[in-house]
Amino acid sequence: TQMAKAPSTTDNIAPINVSFQTLTMSEAAEAPPNQETKQRSPSEFLKSVLGRPVKVKLNSGIEYRGVLASLDGYMNIAMEQTEEYVNGQLKNNYGDCFIRGNNVLYISGQTKR
């Protein structure tokens, strides 16, 4: 006699594949123009701001403003022409800036620098 196998809760669950693509600035320049009225995914937003001015706010409250050079799936960020703001006051200017993704609260596009 054979015993029937109890159904597993994972039998009906399909794996979810999530991937992020790091784009170069030239690839980002080829991205479609920003359309404010259309809903976009976070991935589409990030592709649209590559190579453009952004504001990155950290969990600590410090803000960095500069040109988004690249980012990866862990939200690690490379920026150029970066300015550091603490409590709204400009504190430092950096040529290049690298930010570890787990410190990022949000990334916001800027209309101008």
Side-chain angles (χ1 to χ4, degrees):
T1 63
Q2 291 185 348
M3 295 185 63
K5 178 182 171 194
S8 168
T9 57
T10 59
D11 286 346
N12 296 325
I13 298 175
I16 298 174
N17 293 322
V18 178
S19 65
F20 291 91
Q21 180 180 11
T22 302
L23 298 177
T24 64
M25 287 182 24
S26 61
E27 291 170 328
E30 297 170 5
N34 188 357
Q35 296 177 356
E36 295 299 323
T37 58
K38 185 180 174 187
Q39 287 278 347
R40 294 184 295 171
S41 71
S43 180
E44 289 171 333
F45 166 74
L46 292 171
K47 287 178 188 175
S48 74
V49 296
L50 270 171
R52 298 199 169 109
V54 294
K55 176 171 59 174
V56 177
K57 186 159 190 174
L58 305 186
N59 296 324
S60 65
I62 297 174
E63 282 184 9
Y64 292 91
R65 298 177 191 173
V67 177
L68 182 63
S70 68
L71 72 147
D72 64 15
Y74 294 102
M75 209 74 137
N76 295 319
I77 296 171
M79 296 173 68
E80 299 172 341
Q81 305 168 24
T82 309
E83 301 171 330
E84 179 183 49
Y85 289 83
V86 179
N87 297 325
Q89 302 276 337
L90 177 63
K91 292 294 179 183
N92 286 302
N93 286 302
Y94 303 107
D96 293 330
C97 174
F98 299 95
I99 302 172
R100 186 176 165 148
N102 67 334
N103 296 309
V104 176
L105 182 62
Y106 67 78
I107 301 174
S108 173
Q110 288 186 286
T111 54
K112 60 181 177 179
R113 273 188 42 83

